[in-house]
Amino acid sequence: MATVTFRDETATGRPLDEFSLPGLPETITARELVRLRVREEVARHNANPSARFNGLVHPVDAEVQLNGYRMGAGRRIDWERQADIAERAFLRNGFLLLVGDRQIDDLSETIDLTVDQVVSFVKLVPLVGG
């Protein structure tokens, strides 16, 4: 079993947030890793609901704020729906997935978590007017 650190970073590499998750399989696909990350962050939010959600992707009916999303008070989030949104965001370059020092380009790629234990998510901000 492996322990992985999920880290959110800016495009310049500055860390924004991170959390570790133990007990993961030694190998996993990028798709499973993204879905696992989303499931964990949604579970943490739902266990202690607040008016703010700081997650990988924009929840439905939430307002975008600096470094997070404003939610209705006490609103629960559906992790599977969020994971589907995250997969689509990855496919349209909404964020980069870095495992160790390499970029993952395909959600079906298998990742060895015994070698690379830091997984970085870099959210990409669309250019205004472009």
Side-chain angles (χ1 to χ4, degrees):
M1 300 303 259
T3 297
V4 172
T5 299
F6 293 96
R7 181 178 296 149
D8 290 341
E9 298 179 358
T10 65
T12 60
R14 184 174 59 88
L16 297 171
D17 192 24
E18 73 177 42
F19 65 91
S20 294
L21 196 57
L24 299 184
E26 293 180 354
T27 59
I28 191 169
T29 66
R31 174 175 282 104
E32 292 166 328
L33 197 60
V34 168
R35 294 183 73 81
L36 186 68
R37 180 249 160 93
V38 170
R39 185 180 74 197
E40 180 64 20
E41 72 187 11
V42 168
R44 290 176 184 210
H45 172 81
N46 287 342
N48 188 18
S50 69
R52 191 164 196 287
F53 176 69
N54 188 18
L56 181 61
V57 293
H58 183 261
V60 175
D61 298 330
E63 180 182 330
V64 177
Q65 290 186 318
L66 182 64
N67 296 326
Y69 308 101
R70 186 159 51 111
M71 309 274 297
R75 184 170 147 231
R76 296 182 58 81
I77 301 173
D78 177 352
W79 83 265
E80 289 177 311
R81 189 172 187 186
Q82 284 301 107
D84 292 343
I85 293 168
E87 280 187 43
R88 289 191 301 272
F90 176 86
L91 294 173
R92 65 173 198 283
N93 298 319
F95 63 89
L96 299 178
L97 178 59
L98 306 173
V99 177
D101 61 354
R102 66 189 174 93
Q103 182 175 338
I104 304 299
D105 295 320
D106 186 342
L107 286 174
S108 63
E109 185 171 337
T110 300
I111 298 164
D112 184 347
L113 296 178
T114 62
V115 175
D116 296 309
Q117 297 170 332
V118 175
V119 177
S120 299
F121 294 81
V122 181
K123 293 183 186 179
L124 302 176
V125 179
L127 297 174
V128 174

